[in-house]
Amino acid sequence: MTKKIFRSICLAAIAVLLASLVLIMGVLYDYFAQLQRRQLAVQTDLAAQGLMAQGMEYFDGLQLADCRLTWIAADGAVLYDSASTGDLDNHLDREEIRQALATGQGDSTRYSNTLTEQLFYHARLLPDGTVLRLSASRYTVWVLLMGVLQPVLVVALLAILMSLLLASRLSARLTRPLNQIDLKDPLKEVPYEELRPLLSRIAAQQEQLRRDKEQLEKNEQIRREFTANVSHELKTPLHSISGYAELLANGMVQPQDVENFAGKIYSESQRMSSLVEDVIALSRLDDGAPEMQREECDLYDIAQNAVDSLALAAEEAHVTVNLSGESVRFTGVSQLLYGICYNLCDNAIKYNQENGSVSLSVRDEGREAVLTVSDTGIGIAPEDQQRIFERFYRVDKSRSKEVGGTGLGLSIVKHAALIHHAKMEMSSTPGGGTTFILRFPKL
């Protein structure tokens, strides 16, 4: 950046220098032209006085190096010309001659065919009616430039050297505050107010990176905990199955107890199977469930299917399950919506009181489909309400073991709700039951 600023300043300085030289040369060109005209008029007056005093003898031995003297009769005939000894054309049509005859003196500028260059002309009317004219070559721009070339080159060289020096110092001075910006806290000291939007964006990006890093660390911690929890949860039923099977294999179980042991092996294997299925489901939800297709769903029908699937479990737990509401259709993933209804209803049954009840309702509230699941269960303590959606977190670990919960049901509900951009509310009182409300936008 320093080099770019340095080059820009140098180019600007050189451009200004060249423009100044062109302007100065233009002014000098006009100034010297006016000066040359005045000098020519003075010389013409001096020559006229000499001619009037000496007559034709004035031209004897006259040597003119830088100008041309012409004496013209009143009828335009050339009486004398210092640049030519032959016959010349009649000069009565010359502009300066006509002016001199009319007003006493005349000026003009034109190209001379005789001398093949551009000339200044000044003519003066003499008392005898003749006209004396003096002409001189007009300085061209290149002649003027060559005349002042040496001082111009010296000035230009000094200007360029000063420009390089100033550009070097100025570019270093401009970029020094930029190099001193603290990227960890870019808004701590803003060197130029114009940089504030950029530094604000950098600060926002760094804050986002910090949050992403924290989230990654949190996710990594969750992953490690999840792996440890899965290993622990799988290890327990595997140990039980292995122990029961070993007893059966060694013939250490009485015939009348074989059925009981086989039932325990089956129960533990089902628990392990449920855990594996929930882990797979969570893994898919973490990826956003890309293989699941969205379609038009009826939330009431899905809730009815979940209630029907849990009818036997509710009967065994002596819990009454009721579904009310109306048909509400919107675009969603039916499999995930079923999982939400099933897991919420399943938890409400497992953690309910004896002869308790579970109420599900589906309502159409315009832009939202609202699912409500309420129970008369044991409730959730305030300190546990923020953690119930964590994987493998159980409010009542002893009861969870009795009812066979995996501790992943509410995690599945949370992720499925996020995929549907649903808002979830929860209220609970220990011993007074729990209510979940999910609001699905109709996409």
Side-chain angles (χ1 to χ4, degrees):
M1 185 175 181
T2 303
K3 292 182 179 180
K4 189 174 182 180
I5 295 176
F6 176 77
R7 287 196 299 267
S8 299
I9 296 175
C10 288
L11 290 176
I14 293 174
V16 171
L17 176 62
L18 292 177
S20 300
L21 288 177
V22 171
L23 181 61
I24 291 172
M25 290 304 299
V27 172
L28 288 177
Y29 185 67
D30 289 338
Y31 170 76
F32 281 114
Q34 296 298 327
L35 181 62
Q36 192 175 9
R37 285 179 182 276
R38 288 196 295 270
Q39 290 178 345
L40 194 62
V42 171
Q43 291 175 348
T44 304
D45 289 341
L46 292 175
Q49 292 177 11
L51 179 60
M52 287 185 294
Q54 300 180 20
M56 286 295 293
E57 295 179 358
Y58 175 74
F59 299 116
D60 294 341
L62 183 64
Q63 295 181 353
L64 300 174
D66 299 326
C67 59
R68 174 187 179 189
L69 184 64
T70 307
W71 187 24
I72 303 153
D75 60 356
V78 177
L79 301 177
Y80 174 81
D81 189 275
S82 62
S84 176
T85 56
D87 295 334
L88 298 176
D89 296 336
N90 190 285
H91 280 39
L92 194 60
D93 61 341
R94 304 295 196 272
E95 181 181 356
E96 69 278 4
I97 303 301
R98 293 200 307 270
Q99 291 179 9
L101 291 174
T103 63
Q105 60 182 359
D107 292 285
S108 68
T109 304
R110 66 175 178 275
Y111 185 80
S112 172
N113 293 323
T114 304
L115 299 179
T116 64
E117 59 184 356
Q118 193 173 41
L119 302 175
F120 282 136
Y121 294 92
H122 183 80
R124 178 183 176 88
L125 181 64
L126 301 181
D128 59 0
T130 60
V131 176
L132 184 65
R133 185 187 70 180
L134 195 65
S135 63
S137 300
R138 182 179 183 180
Y139 295 149
T140 63
V141 174
W142 297 111
V143 172
L144 181 62
L145 180 61
M146 293 302 296
V148 297
L149 182 61
Q150 184 175 356
V152 166
L153 289 177
V154 173
V155 171
L157 181 60
L158 290 175
I160 291 174
L161 291 176
M162 290 182 63
S163 299
L164 293 175
L165 178 61
L166 291 176
S168 177
R169 292 188 175 183
L170 184 58
S171 59
R173 184 177 179 181
L174 288 173
T175 56
R176 188 179 299 112
L178 299 179
N179 296 328
Q180 294 176 348
I181 293 176
D182 184 4
L183 294 179
K184 294 182 179 179
D185 187 9
L187 295 178
K188 181 179 180 181
E189 186 175 350
V190 180
Y192 304 112
E193 196 61 29
E194 293 80 4
L195 291 176
R196 186 172 294 277
L198 174 61
L199 296 179
S200 298
R201 180 176 294 182
I202 293 175
Q205 290 179 345
Q206 288 185 338
E207 179 64 19
Q208 185 62 43
L209 288 174
R210 184 185 63 79
R211 292 178 182 177
D212 291 344
K213 182 179 179 181
E214 292 178 354
Q215 186 62 41
L216 287 174
E217 292 175 351
K218 183 178 179 181
N219 291 341
E220 179 62 21
Q221 180 65 25
I222 292 174
R223 185 192 65 79
R224 288 196 294 266
E225 293 178 357
F226 181 70
T227 302
N229 287 329
V230 169
S231 300
H232 175 74
E233 294 293 336
L234 287 175
K235 190 181 297 183
T236 301
L238 281 174
H239 282 170
S240 298
I241 292 172
S242 177
Y244 294 143
E246 184 178 2
L247 291 175
L248 289 171
N250 293 330
M252 300 176 65
V253 180
Q254 298 296 324
Q256 63 272 19
D257 294 328
V258 171
E259 183 178 354
N260 181 38
F261 274 70
K264 290 181 178 180
I265 292 175
Y266 176 76
S267 177
E268 292 295 336
S269 63
Q270 287 296 107
R271 179 184 172 190
M272 189 166 59
S273 177
S274 298
L275 178 62
V276 171
E277 289 178 359
D278 285 349
V279 169
I280 293 173
L282 269 178
S283 177
R284 291 175 179 173
L285 292 176
D286 285 338
D287 294 335
E291 76 284 357
M292 297 183 182
Q293 298 297 321
R294 291 182 177 270
E295 57 186 357
E296 189 175 2
C297 305
D298 189 322
L299 185 58
Y300 186 88
D301 290 343
I302 292 173
Q304 183 66 64
N305 292 336
V307 170
D308 294 341
S309 299
L310 291 166
L312 181 59
E315 182 179 351
E316 292 176 351
H318 305 290
V319 174
T320 303
V321 180
N322 298 309
L323 173 63
S324 62
E326 57 188 319
S327 175
V328 183
R329 305 185 69 85
F330 63 95
T331 302
V333 181
S334 58
Q335 184 178 348
L336 298 183
L337 294 173
Y338 175 82
I340 291 174
C341 296
Y342 184 92
N343 280 291
L344 289 177
C345 190
D346 185 41
N347 279 352
I349 294 171
K350 288 178 179 178
Y351 298 96
N352 216 311
Q353 306 285 356
E354 183 76 18
N355 299 318
S357 64
V358 177
S359 299
L360 285 81
S361 71
V362 177
R363 303 191 311 275
D364 188 345
E365 294 188 358
R367 295 185 177 181
E368 293 179 332
V370 181
L371 170 67
T372 303
V373 180
S374 301
D375 63 62
T376 59
I378 62 175
I380 305 171
E383 61 271 16
D384 293 321
Q385 292 180 11
Q386 298 298 323
R387 301 191 60 189
I388 58 173
F389 297 102
E390 295 179 10
R391 300 174 185 187
F392 295 109
Y393 185 80
R394 295 180 175 89
V395 176
D396 188 342
K397 296 180 174 57
S398 60
R399 181 154 186 169
S400 298
K401 188 173 183 180
E402 292 176 5
V403 298
T406 64
L408 297 176
L410 288 180
S411 294
I412 293 174
V413 170
K414 176 185 175 181
H415 282 72
L418 288 174
I419 289 176
H420 285 88
H421 306 288
K423 299 177 183 177
M424 184 161 50
E425 304 169 10
M426 188 270 293
S427 60
S428 183
T429 303
T434 303
T435 299
F436 287 92
I437 301 176
L438 285 89
R439 301 179 181 276
F440 298 92
K442 294 181 180 179
L443 302 178

